Amino acid sequence: MRRISITRRRRWAATALATAAATALTACGTSSVTTGSGGRPLLKMAAVFLPSALDPAKGIDAVFSFVETLTQINAQGQVVPFLLATAPAQTDPTHWTLTLRSDVTFQDGHAMTPQIVAAALNREVAQSEQAQSELAKAVFAASGTDQITVTTPKPEPLLPADLADRAFAVYDEPVVTAAGSGPDALVGKGVFTAPYAITGFTEQGMTLAPYDKYWQGKPALGGVQVSHVADGQARVAAVESGQVDIADGANAPDIVTVLKGRGDVTLKTSEAPLNILKLFFNPASAPFNDTRVRQALAVALDYRSLATQFTGGVGEPAASLLPSSHPLAVPTQTTNVAQARQLLDAAGWTAGADGIRSKNGTPLTVTLLTYSERPVFKPLSIGIQSMLATIGVTVNIVTQPFDYKMYNNPNSWNLALYNDYSISPTGVPDSYLGTYLSTNGSGNHWHISDSTLDGLLSTLAAATTADTRKDDLAAVQHYVWDNAYVAAVAFVKDGSVVSKNWANYTPGAGYQQQEWTWQTAPSA
């Protein structure tokens, strides 16, 4: 889903509509820059989703930029130190040393000490499903004036990348623990190290004020205002009228069409494809409990056509679960309509005079589940429906507002379109694959339960060399395709609609979601 995630971005069950946002923001019909603290410009943003929680241990899944992590993933996919002074140092297979920067303070003025950071990370390992899926039972302990020792029960070669996940966000743990569990319990507490501190948080929006003692320098903005506006066209209209400066989640077909030839507002896209549109095949549902049926539908789809003709021009063709530019991507996905028909014949689904397939008098009809927050799903659903009709399969499309509970009943759906990270929250795919593919994965809403696949994922997680990791990741990609559990429909760059004054804005940073940095500022 982007803005995702979870840490895969859990969506706030808010009812804030575009009209509510319009009421909260007075239309001014101008592109002038609003000022905030100290006369600095104020960033006003319209967001598809808001965080479901401000507490990292409970899953920060939208507007990530109010927290920071020990490491980051740069545009080249490399792990670099961020709140660390140096890269994590592995002292033996199960021990690492982390050296903190000495010039960082929390927004409440407290120093970032090894004791506080270790306590925060231990709390996340204990309470966060995402943290547990990446560094289960890891123990963080202060071991010097600026050092933390990490002990893991088994080798964790990807630990430096795992620490870039917002599931391991750094915060003032004693203050967070004392604040309580309410959704807005951390408002005004200044518990993070980021350049902007949260001063307001509701179902309709959030406000942030600059932290002028930020460790990298004085923030360029006088504050940030985020409004929840679920409707894509309403977000564009808010930019047009001057209500907001930037609208996220904008790389959708209907918005791209509206913006063609415009000069007053612009669509800005990320450098890397941050999103992937996935199609899950529910193996717990009939007739998808027959692997041959899943395989038939998987190979019947023309993935290049879906990405280029049914996304309004925003999609990039997919050949595997990883972007083609990723060095570990293995092309697995193929289109073979003749093979699809043969598989269905072998499974007992025969075509009648009208071309519709049936078995024992029951027509081959499947349910495709999508959610309304992603407009691109509408044309994609129609494309999938038309392609599967050519092999005698009838597709019923069901669209509803997003809620993870929509997937709970395995008998209510067969196919599901889902927007997700193109790689992972950390920029490294290995452990993230397990969250949605392993039997007990925290993001496995798809009813996938395969002991062989679990074994492949465990082997991948234990890989200690680059060569074995490459081989193990290739094995996972092949197995998932061969068993038709999920297919990549298209990769999509993140997109934001911006006013003229924000023409230099770029969404994202490398393969990580990022809405703003301390240097984000209008271009005019």
Side-chain angles (χ1 to χ4, degrees):
M1 300 179 98
R2 186 238 194 257
R3 223 171 292 277
I4 163 132
S5 184
I6 222 163
T7 123
R8 185 164 347 201
R9 297 194 173 202
R10 297 175 176 83
R11 282 28 182 187
W12 186 307
T15 59
L17 301 173
T19 53
T23 300
L25 297 170
T26 302
C28 59
T30 178
S31 60
S32 61
V33 175
T34 305
T35 56
S37 174
R40 286 169 286 180
L42 179 71
L43 170 60
K44 296 175 293 182
M45 176 175 286
V48 184
F49 299 107
L50 290 175
S52 60
L54 301 181
D55 184 346
K58 296 178 182 177
I60 294 175
D61 24 34
V63 196
F64 278 161
S65 300
F66 62 80
V67 299
E68 293 185 328
T69 50
L70 296 176
T71 62
Q72 284 191 345
I73 310 297
N74 65 16
Q76 291 71 48
Q78 301 166 326
V79 183
V80 294
F82 192 64
L83 292 180
L84 293 180
T86 60
Q90 188 170 20
T91 55
D92 63 50
T94 59
H95 290 88
W96 294 75
T97 298
L98 310 177
T99 302
L100 299 177
R101 295 184 61 94
S102 60
D103 54 351
V104 180
T105 59
F106 297 106
Q107 297 149 349
D108 57 17
H110 298 164
M112 183 185 73
T113 66
Q115 291 78 11
I116 292 177
V117 175
L121 299 180
N122 285 329
R123 180 175 178 270
E124 289 164 346
V125 169
Q127 298 184 25
S128 165
E129 290 183 354
Q130 181 68 14
Q132 292 165 5
S133 71
E134 294 175 341
L135 293 176
K137 298 182 179 179
V139 176
F140 296 80
S143 55
T145 56
D146 60 357
Q147 289 188 335
I148 295 172
T149 297
V150 190
T151 303
T152 60
K154 60 182 180 63
E156 297 284 0
L158 295 178
L159 180 142
D162 292 332
L163 294 178
D165 192 335
R166 270 70 170 196
F168 293 101
V170 172
Y171 53 86
D172 195 342
E173 187 274 336
V175 178
V176 170
T177 299
S181 58
D184 60 353
L186 300 183
V187 171
K189 296 293 193 299
V191 298
F192 301 115
T193 61
Y196 299 96
I198 302 166
T199 54
F201 181 63
T202 70
E203 292 181 354
Q204 285 73 44
M206 61 189 301
T207 57
L208 301 97
Y211 176 50
D212 286 342
K213 295 183 179 179
Y214 178 60
W215 63 276
Q216 292 198 85
K218 188 174 181 178
L221 298 172
V224 179
Q225 292 180 354
V226 183
S227 299
H228 175 220
V229 184
D231 181 77
Q233 295 290 353
R235 292 195 302 278
V236 174
V239 176
E240 292 173 326
S241 65
Q243 298 174 50
V244 301
D245 305 303
I246 296 172
D248 73 3
N251 202 5
D254 56 338
I255 296 177
V256 171
T257 299
V258 167
L259 295 181
K260 282 184 178 179
R262 296 284 297 274
D264 55 334
V265 292
T266 306
L267 176 65
K268 303 288 290 185
T269 58
S270 59
E271 296 178 0
L274 297 179
N275 301 324
I276 178 177
L277 306 179
K278 295 175 180 174
L279 182 66
F280 283 94
F281 300 78
N282 177 3
S285 66
F288 281 15
N289 50 355
D290 187 331
T291 303
R292 294 169 297 182
V293 176
R294 300 197 308 273
Q295 291 171 331
L297 271 64
V299 298
L301 297 174
D302 183 341
Y303 296 98
R304 176 167 291 276
S305 178
L306 285 174
T308 57
Q309 298 181 32
F310 292 92
T311 65
V314 304
E316 299 178 4
S320 76
L321 286 177
L322 301 178
S324 58
S325 59
H326 194 281
L328 298 178
V330 177
T332 55
Q333 298 181 186
T334 58
T335 301
N336 190 326
V337 176
Q339 181 186 9
R341 294 191 175 108
Q342 293 170 0
L343 285 165
L344 290 178
D345 288 340
W349 294 93
T350 57
D354 58 359
I356 302 300
R357 291 183 179 269
S358 63
K359 184 176 183 179
N360 300 325
T362 302
L364 183 48
T365 301
V366 300
T367 298
L368 170 59
L369 187 58
T370 77
Y371 45 93
S372 53
E373 289 87 349
R374 295 292 175 184
V376 71
F377 286 168
K378 183 175 181 179
L380 277 177
S381 297
I382 295 172
I384 291 169
Q385 185 182 57
S386 62
M387 290 176 185
L388 295 183
T390 65
I391 61 169
V393 178
T394 300
V395 177
N396 291 331
I397 302 169
V398 175
T399 302
Q400 66 178 71
F402 180 84
D403 189 325
Y404 279 120
K405 294 178 181 178
M406 64 196 282
Y407 308 113
N408 286 356
N409 182 356
N411 298 313
S412 66
W413 63 278
N414 307 106
L415 297 165
L417 278 169
Y418 187 78
N419 185 88
D420 205 352
Y421 293 99
S422 63
I423 301 294
S424 76
T426 67
V428 177
D430 306 46
S431 58
Y432 193 63
L433 289 168
T435 66
Y436 65 88
L437 292 174
S438 66
T439 299
N440 297 315
S442 61
N444 183 358
H445 310 286
W446 325 112
H447 307 283
I448 300 169
S449 181
D450 185 324
S451 59
T452 301
L453 178 56
D454 290 343
L456 291 173
L457 291 166
S458 295
T459 300
L460 171 62
T464 56
T465 69
D467 287 341
T468 56
R469 178 188 174 218
K470 180 179 180 179
D471 292 343
D472 294 341
L473 190 53
V476 169
Q477 293 174 77
H478 279 295
Y479 189 86
V480 170
W481 171 253
D482 291 343
N483 288 272
Y485 287 131
V486 58
V489 175
F491 290 96
V492 180
K493 291 184 176 181
D494 199 14
S496 294
V497 174
V498 304
S499 64
K500 277 186 176 181
N501 290 325
W502 293 82
N504 291 340
Y505 177 81
T506 300
Y511 277 99
Q512 289 192 281
Q513 313 293 341
Q514 193 168 45
E515 289 78 11
W516 56 77
T517 72
W518 69 285
Q519 295 173 310
T520 298
S523 51

